[in-house]
Amino acid sequence: GESVGLHLPTLSVQEGDNSIINCAYSNSASDYFIWYKQESGKGPQFIIDIRSNMDKRQGQRVTVLLNKTVKHLSLQIAATQPGDSAVYFCAENSMEYGNKLVFGAGTILRVKS
Amino acid sequence: DGGITQSPKYLFRKEGQNVTLSCEQNLNHDAMYWYRQDPGQGLRLIYYSQIVNDFQKGDIAEGYSVSREKKESFPLTVTSAQKNPTAFYLCASSSYRGAGDTQYFGPGTRLTVL
């Protein structure tokens, strides 16, 4: 999602439910995408990545989906746990960016017990 | 124990002072990066280095300086020219192969100007 100043979009889910976090990326030429998780006061932690020649990639409890037609990326977390509460960032990479990552502002995930 | 370390975790600076933030990695990564994070915002790139003795400005380099004398170290100096330095600073590294690589982050340094 998009952020507006200090107000990051927030997703609240019940423990045990599935979570879907969305990201709209900006560059149709981007060829590599990463999801990061950032807990309060800590550095971002790599979750999963996907290259543009794929539509879907699965990890442990997480799935990333890439829709290049509408420039949309999503992160699905299965059986969400309290420890999943954090800010989630997507990042895109493109040769046009000189192979630097461009980060979205993030989405807050809150898990209710 | 492999990874990226940053020190100190918290840093306080008086106005007009320069301060240096440390970043060390033992992952044998070629590329290193410095980002600034402000509340409720994404990461903004300050400087990056793809090889020893070479570095490039990112999007917000004004008021900052870096050096890359060793592959494992990439210190960031926040100078007195940086007008609003209070922020969370993150260092990252990647094994740069020119095709898009995962960046791994350190734990961050929170800088506060008094």
Side-chain angles (χ1 to χ4, degrees):
Chain A
E2 297 290 328
S3 70
V4 180
L6 298 177
H7 304 289
L8 293 179
T10 300
L11 175 65
S12 293
V13 300
Q14 196 67 37
E15 181 179 358
D17 288 351
N18 296 335
S19 302
I20 300 177
I21 301 170
N22 297 304
C23 177
Y25 64 91
S26 57
N27 191 340
S28 58
S30 291
D31 54 10
Y32 180 58
F33 305 87
I34 307 174
W35 278 101
Y36 287 95
K37 171 187 179 183
Q38 186 177 26
E39 296 175 82
S40 181
K42 297 184 179 179
Q45 175 187 357
F46 170 84
I47 302 174
I48 192 167
D49 59 1
I50 189 169
R51 297 204 179 269
S52 59
N53 60 352
M54 302 173 69
D55 297 323
K56 178 180 180 179
R57 191 164 187 222
Q58 288 185 289
Q60 186 177 11
R61 266 198 324 118
V62 295
T63 301
V64 56
L65 298 177
L66 175 62
N67 185 332
K68 295 181 287 292
T69 302
V70 295
K71 293 189 291 184
H72 185 268
L73 194 67
S74 68
L75 176 71
Q76 300 178 0
I77 304 174
T80 311
Q81 303 168 0
D84 294 328
S85 294
V87 177
Y88 289 80
F89 296 93
C90 65
E92 62 183 298
N93 172 273
S94 166
M95 290 291 289
E96 293 180 17
Y97 299 146
N99 280 316
K100 301 189 295 290
L101 290 177
V102 174
F103 291 83
T107 297
I108 299 170
L109 176 64
R110 291 204 174 104
V111 182
K112 298 175 287 186
S113 299
Chain B
D1 186 23
I4 304 171
T5 58
Q6 291 185 241
S7 62
K9 185 172 177 65
Y10 299 98
L11 186 58
F12 298 91
R13 190 193 92 170
K14 294 181 180 179
E15 288 192 19
Q17 283 184 333
N18 294 352
V19 290
T20 298
L21 283 59
S22 169
C23 178
E24 304 277 333
Q25 55 96 2
N26 61 5
L27 301 168
N28 200 33
H29 283 169
D30 293 308
M32 297 186 74
Y33 310 80
W34 273 107
Y35 293 91
R36 170 183 172 136
Q37 187 176 35
D38 293 285
Q41 297 187 31
L43 280 64
R44 291 185 290 168
L45 183 64
I46 304 173
Y47 268 99
Y48 65 104
S49 167
Q50 294 170 344
I51 195 169
V52 175
N53 292 322
D54 188 39
F55 48 83
Q56 286 79 39
K57 293 182 179 180
D59 301 319
I60 55 166
E62 185 176 350
Y64 300 97
S65 65
V66 293
S67 62
R68 187 85 188 279
E69 297 176 2
K70 298 186 295 183
K71 185 176 184 177
E72 59 269 24
S73 178
F74 191 40
L76 173 74
T77 296
V78 184
T79 75
S80 57
Q82 169 52 236
K83 298 306 178 188
N84 185 23
T86 295
F88 190 47
Y89 290 88
L90 288 159
C91 178
S93 70
S94 70
S95 54
Y96 180 70
R97 294 185 294 271
D101 299 286
T102 304
Q103 292 182 21
Y104 296 93
F105 286 84
T109 292
R110 187 166 299 279
L111 173 63
T112 302
V113 174
L114 303 174

